[in-house]
């Protein structure tokens, strides 16, 4: 009499104590200015992951060989972004303190700031590898500093110049591109330059943040602000695999799936598969 | 480090051992001939129940006062209806054997047959109270005997004449209405006659089966075969409350929510609220 | 080797020669100013009719007992409303000339004008019974005379004063209500007065036109211009049955289903069932 | 060369200086915990109003006879509810100071608090007439005080006991109903008692707030939290007309349309028509 | 009086006796475990084909030059997969016996087994060319042997080792890839190796089965189990054209369109166009 | 008290007198035979443009540096195509007469004929550069000459042979391709040959018409007649930029977005971004 269901990303059912990688969801979209809905991303990813297989023919490994735990979603309130970031940072810090790798699913991109706060506290030399369509470097958005449109700018205040490596950026106002020229390592319009960056980052702690809208909307329509001109699935799959295999990733996230704009489920499948490949590449080093 | 999520209908988180009512889902629609999708009903009901309150201003009681357990969904295979019915019957029989009340959510109406098999084995004098738009009294459907369109006919083979009490029926082929005239207690086109039936059933064991398409499609569009001309929400709410309060219900089910046809979520809310009222009325007698 | 499919409304498969009632579709919405899509109504009605039964528990008769033929849809061009009306009038006239009853499905309400032209030619004393949310009495719409918003005004030019009986009207500009006061028999806001009208029409030839948006949008959301405050399903079902049973209906139509706004299929089911009841009531007098 | 489009609710194109009623939108849903989207309500109402007529056959008056101005939407930031309420209160206070009647469209129900702050400052004896499915009387929601679920509780802090008159409430946790028993004038489950309330309020300044989810979801599915068991269109239409005609309404709002859950557009049509009837009833006294 | 509509794929209106290619639909999805709906594929393909042209600028030929008959859909029951496969095999065998080429549209991939049974009976040396995202080589799925997930495994039991040539496979559990290594000719992750395979198959009878989910979900979202990482439209178009032109195709199918997940209609257009190109390439050899 | 909203494409808020480029919408789809809805394109483009940035990282310029005016949409009647074309031609001629560049958004492709009439009157040597999936060279469509399917054929009557340069065409009936061989400069199946064409057009006045269905439906599903096999976003972006930078474009349009088939909003984003790039390239020469 025991099929009480546990909601976890497929095959990520290790006990917390045993786990090497710990997933959790941050279902928050309270500062999203255009089209909300990423709050529904984490549970949708968990549920729909069962439409995929645990085995990857790309990496020829299987999630059932890894020790991964899914803690489910944080309970977050709407109407107080600082409290939300506190909850995310607290969860991330606890996982790091236990020697495990935090793997967060969003939610809007602002939640990354909470995780980066915890990661930079644990690893002061932290670098950030950032895949995104948008620069996210505004100083404020309509007067609000804790906004999805400002998240990398807030991260820059924690890391300083030259520690944020941005790929795929194809949207921003003019001032953000000027800021990037001076303060970040931006690779606009494509994922070009990743190999060199990974070589340079050897031995340094890395936070990997993937805003899935770096993909072209033909591949990933299910997001709040589609930006035509992005990369395709195989380009992103290869890129995140390279980061997870070659860099010393200490924490990571995948954000911005908005299921309401994913009528066919194809975007959710993309999110699930990118996560599977990241977990497999990260897990291979942590068995 | 303990927010691992449990997927249960709101506030139905008692331990099985303590529970007086035991919910489970039967996500099967393998014989649905017109528009499939009720397989998605049970998890959708569970998830969306959190949009409602646990307190009923109609009954002035609260689910948090009841001892209800939600076992989640049975894992059912597609392609073998007999195996599905076996799983449903087994689960129902086990709950009955433990002295608890089984409360099943469907799924297509065929799953009721599995539960009725177990209930009639435990209670040979079983009567069935049936709310539905459709008579479901065909002998076969395109040659298939185990079909949603035949479920009450199969039940009649178990109970015999005069033990099936049908309300709200407004669709069927001519032969089904002729069969009903001879073998069942059918109240067509409305819920009229329920009070008299409940008086007559006093002291007898009752299986209550609610096919939600008894509701008018304006109230409940989210179903595979919408039948205009049905009852409204308050009529059904009052009717199921009356059955649960006045009859000796030994097992029950609520079936035929098909979430893909419920774009707005209103049908799921109706399903969740009917279930809440039934649980509260049943639970008040089993605290 | 013979399951070549014939697309016909359920059970309306009589040969034309044998048929007493002849259905055809007029899939045109070329003057619809707000939200187009009624062009998809006729085939959708035909297809989805198979989700219903041929037997009516209201009338206790069956379509399989009637002699009805479905000729399918007229092929109509977009960009020339006069040609469209010519095609509709030609088809209607031919069916009338063969002593059969034409039953048209729309399409936007403008197509009624084509059928009325043929009917008034055959029956100079023709009266029109009109169920609708909208008065449709404008003299022109943005300069266009052949517009869905003007269709009853054009019909009035053919019949003269006092021959158009309007029910359920709850929308129009002020001038249309003033026109109705002087020239038509309008029963606004409800179906009240129908019985008296039917008594007065005894012995006179009647064209029945049903714009389904006379129904409340809760019952029938699938239309281009939803108008809250309409009648419910049973009110319309009873009303059209009364007209078909008591009046001498010589031709009729059912218009304005727009399937794209009928996500759940409930509106199409309403259209199919209203048509079934009309066919059964009309057919009972023409076996 | 002058068809630059002005986005205004139909026929509400008076100059501000001339206007007696002043509409504005408050497109905010930043504390919505379940399903966001009411931010899209105000522009959708404005656009889709053109599918209706300016003339009401119920009231036999026309918007073109009234002097109404639509200022469009406030530009509101996401991530700072206090700033949002400040903007709403400022706009409302300015309109009141100019001797005009503010008519706000939401947005989530929280925005009402901003308008009530301004109204109670101008009219210390203010009473509130509140149509809603939900009590909205929580003291906080997950620790947040400025939440849609708390808005009437916050209003109670401004008005004190006995000045909030609630109708149609059918959802809340047990504590909210206990609070209502002690502090508000709640009429649960229906609109019963409205006439007596209006008699008692004669001569007192009234703020009218309409949460459209007071309607049954069959009539109004397009909202974040559908609650089965509500009133129908004509009941609400008559009720708001009565308040606008009989009470001394000094400001008002209509909230909680969420267009993403209104696939057919029927809910938006309901919102537009309720607003039209309110404007006509209010305007008749202010020509 | 003769526009009774025939539902056939565009321009495929030859008499059966004259036809060289014979289409039929197998609208079955009774074992689909994840998201059902492919039962709606065959009629949707037929209807929407009229949005395309009969002429191909790729092949510079026209369907109107070919002799193709469309028999419409088999009437299949839900709840008995063996009966379904029997009906498919019977239809396929009859067409083969008449010296014509059977062209089946699905439906879920399981229906291929019925057609292969007939084809292998007629051509014992049959090879299968298989385009798919999924290996479909499981021995059973939740205990069910006749499952869409097992269809090529069942085919392998008929053909033996080395006769199944799989292309584009990018999903399966580990055991399926191990099985493929030993028993089938699998070309994973792309369509590479097709030319060599076609050379090797010269003179041998070939069954071509196209599961459209071999396409990337950006191109073909309208399917039950989207698998990111697939081929694009031109790759598949060229591949199926090559097989139809160069191999001795004796029967073929195109499966797994699920229209409910094809909101825009783009997936249906892809299916229709792939079918048109196949028909033109096959027909050029059979005029 | 002045936030009355102006509906204009982002940053295109110059006064008409100052403007160098003048946008307007032609929301007409009255001859669309397959799936209507492009009438909703122009306002959707205007509204959703605010989800993009005014700055282009491709061109490194900003719309805020340009002088562009958006006049909003023409008010067009349905039911009279000739009147519609007259309104379009009148608007275009007036803008040309004022020495400004007209930039029209559709609407179905027929509206191009109105603008070309005005442009050829002003520039008798006019050439047309045409991006499209469809040849649009039929002489009539079901007897209608003013049809979207005939628009380039009508333009050819104005320009004569060799002055229409077609790119990306992949659909048409056989006769259209034969017509193109004799009378137009067609580059079928891709955008190949554009550079040479632009070289040849040096110094000649060019009308640029972009039917967005030239894009592959994976990129642009939101259109009435999706045609698989089209170009991707970057190919079209580069092509329109080249034309705007290198040719002497005297007027232009972008047509055939149908928002109802753009559930995710990705197609609208594509339309908005193509327009932004065109405006920036055109504006750079007209500051």
């Amino acid at each position: 009499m025991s099929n009480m269901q546990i909601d976890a990303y497929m095959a990520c059912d290790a006990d917390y104590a045993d786990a090497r990688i710990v997933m959790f969801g941050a279902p928050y979209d309270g500062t999203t200015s255009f089209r909300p809905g990423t709050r529904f991303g984490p549970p949708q990813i968990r549920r729909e992951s069962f439409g995929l297989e645990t085995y990857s023919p790309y990496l020829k490994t299987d999630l059932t060989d890894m020790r991964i735990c899914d803690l489910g979603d944080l309970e977050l309130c709407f109407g107080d972004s600082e409290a939300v970031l506190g909850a995310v940072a607290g969860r991330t810090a606890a996982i790091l303190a236990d020697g495990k790798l935090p793997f967060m699913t969003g939610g809007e991109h602002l939640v990354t700031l909470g995780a980066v706060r915890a990661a930079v506290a644990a690893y002061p030399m932290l670098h950030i590898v950032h895949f995104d369509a948008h620069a996210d470097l505004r100083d404020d958005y309509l007067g609000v500093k804790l906004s999805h449109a400002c998240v990398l700018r807030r991260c820059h205040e924690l890391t300083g110049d030259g520690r944020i490596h941005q790929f795929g950026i194809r949207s921003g106002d003019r001032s953000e591109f000027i800021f990037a020229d001076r303060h970040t390592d931006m690779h606009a319009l494509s994922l070009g330059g990743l190999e060199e960056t990974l070589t340079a980052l050897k031995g340094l702690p890395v936070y990997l943040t993937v805003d899935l809208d770096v993909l072209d909307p033909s591949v990933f329509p299910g997001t709040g602000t589609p930006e035509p001109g992005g990369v395709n699935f195989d380009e992103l799959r290869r890129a995140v695999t390279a980061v997870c295999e070659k860099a010393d990733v200490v924490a990571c996230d995948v954000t911005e799936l908005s299921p309401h704009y994913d009528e066919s489920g194809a975007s959710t499948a993309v999110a699930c598969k990118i996560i599977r490949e990241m977990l497999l590449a990260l897990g291979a080093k942590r068995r």
Side-chain angles (χ1 to χ4, degrees), chain A:
Chain A
M1 206 55 71
S2 65
N3 68 339
M4 178 67 89
Q5 274 137 339
I6 303 297
D7 216 353
Y9 185 89
M10 57 170 170
C12 294
D13 53 2
D15 286 341
Y16 180 77
D18 280 350
R20 308 299 304 266
I21 302 175
V22 180
M23 301 181 76
F24 66 95
Y28 186 68
D29 58 8
T31 80
T32 301
S33 46
F34 194 48
R35 306 193 305 185
T38 59
R39 68 179 70 184
F40 302 114
Q44 188 77 355
I45 286 169
R46 218 173 274 120
R47 279 196 295 272
E48 298 298 312
S49 65
F50 290 88
L52 296 184
E53 302 283 349
T54 56
Y55 174 76
S56 166
Y58 303 109
L59 297 175
K60 301 193 196 307
T61 53
D62 200 305
L63 285 175
T64 56
D65 303 332
M66 310 296 168
R67 288 187 282 158
I68 309 172
C69 163
D70 182 352
L71 291 175
D73 292 338
L74 292 171
E75 188 170 34
L76 302 172
C77 61
F78 284 84
D80 186 345
S81 296
E82 193 48 77
V84 166
L85 294 180
V88 169
R91 169 61 52 95
T92 307
I95 297 168
L96 287 171
D98 288 336
K100 303 168 195 301
L101 189 149
F103 192 119
M104 178 170 65
T105 56
E108 64 168 54
H109 211 168
L110 178 64
V111 297
T112 297
L113 179 59
V116 166
R117 284 179 182 171
V120 85
Y123 298 93
M125 294 301 294
L126 192 77
H127 281 248
I128 297 174
V129 174
H130 172 219
F131 296 103
D132 203 335
H134 306 91
D136 288 355
L137 291 171
R138 276 177 168 83
D139 191 35
D140 72 271
Y141 191 73
L142 296 178
V144 176
K145 292 262 183 178
L146 293 181
S147 164
H148 68 104
C150 312
V151 59
L152 270 295
R153 183 68 171 263
R154 291 293 89 74
C155 289
H156 173 263
E157 293 167 357
L158 300 175
T159 63
D161 283 4
R163 301 256 289 275
I164 298 177
H165 311 274
Q166 304 184 287
F167 296 88
I169 312 302
R170 57 190 182 276
S171 181
D173 69 16
R174 191 149 38 190
S175 71
E176 291 177 271
F177 285 92
I178 293 170
F179 184 90
D181 277 352
R182 295 179 188 161
H183 302 291
T184 78
D185 172 34
M186 184 188 282
H187 305 256
L189 302 181
S190 80
L191 307 184
L194 179 62
E195 283 303 313
E196 297 78 354
T197 299
L198 291 178
T199 302
L201 290 178
K202 204 136 272 177
L204 291 164
V206 166
Y207 186 98
L208 169 60
T209 180
V210 180
D211 183 327
L212 288 163
D213 68 19
V214 70
L215 289 158
D216 193 72
S218 59
V219 176
F220 191 76
T223 194
T225 312
E227 284 287 346
V231 302
N232 67 32
F233 175 76
D234 272 328
E235 289 178 281
L236 182 60
R237 180 183 62 74
R238 286 202 187 93
V240 297
T241 303
V243 178
C244 292
E245 286 181 343
K246 297 181 182 169
D248 181 16
V249 174
V250 297
C252 63
D253 65 55
V254 174
T255 66
E256 294 286 355
L257 170 68
S258 190
H260 283 206
Y261 299 103
D262 179 35
E263 191 69 22
S264 72
S267 304
T268 304
V270 164
C272 290
K273 211 160 185 175
I274 289 292
I275 290 170
R276 183 187 75 189
E277 297 296 304
M278 289 172 65
L279 287 170
L280 288 170
L282 293 166
K285 302 195 290 191
R286 282 173 186 76
R287 275 193 242 201

